[in-house]
Amino acid sequence: QVQLVESGGGSVQAGGSLRLSCAASGYTYSSYCIGWFRQAPGKEREGVAHLDSDGSASYPDSVKGRFTISLDNAKNTLYLQMNNLKPEDTAMYYCAARGCYCGGNYCYRPRHSDDFYHWGQGTQVTVSS
């Protein structure tokens, strides 16, 4: 049974930083694609950082240069470092994972929330102006 548990959310002022953690159990990340998503009230869930099974990271323009995704394989923990936070970053943040294939010239790179099987319970991030 795969379990993902987020932590590290909180309230900060604009310009501040937070680091979210996502501890995984039930499998090892090395064979999975993992990511961070967020959902604000009344809005759809959106991806903010992805780490594919070949080690490549990607970010949408809204957070590029401010957010960094990383993985500690020894601790089976995924991180999201968020710097220069803005009020529009306020949302519930979720980590997600799924099995991924990468071989030859092809790597599967899921980006939509519907593509992910396993989810954490979420951690709230609130940024005040």
Side-chain angles (χ1 to χ4, degrees):
Q1 181 73 18
V2 176
Q3 287 190 327
L4 304 175
V5 180
E6 299 100 335
S7 61
S11 297
V12 296
Q13 290 190 328
S17 298
L18 283 173
R19 189 177 79 157
L20 306 183
S21 300
C22 175
S25 61
Y27 68 95
T28 59
Y29 276 124
S30 60
S31 60
Y32 279 72
C33 293
I34 48 183
W36 287 96
F37 289 78
R38 67 186 180 189
Q39 188 167 21
K43 295 188 176 181
E44 290 189 357
R45 191 170 294 190
E46 63 171 346
V48 296
H50 293 90
L51 189 61
D52 297 325
S53 57
D54 64 352
S56 60
S58 66
Y59 310 88
D61 289 342
S62 58
V63 306
K64 194 173 294 182
R66 300 189 297 120
F67 288 14
T68 303
I69 189 172
S70 62
L71 176 64
D72 186 331
N73 281 310
K75 296 182 179 180
N76 242 16
T77 301
L78 177 70
Y79 299 99
L80 183 68
Q81 178 66 44
M82 304 185 295
N83 298 326
N84 190 23
L85 283 161
K86 303 177 181 180
E88 51 264 41
D89 295 320
T90 295
M92 186 72 78
Y93 283 70
Y94 301 88
C95 62
R98 63 158 291 153
C100 268
Y101 172 78
C102 189
N105 294 323
Y106 174 76
C107 279
Y108 179 56
R109 304 185 190 281
R111 293 293 179 263
H112 195 274
S113 59
D114 290 346
D115 298 329
F116 286 82
Y117 304 150
H118 310 294
W119 291 86
Q121 82 288 352
T123 186
Q124 177 69 36
V125 172
T126 303
V127 184
S128 58
S129 57

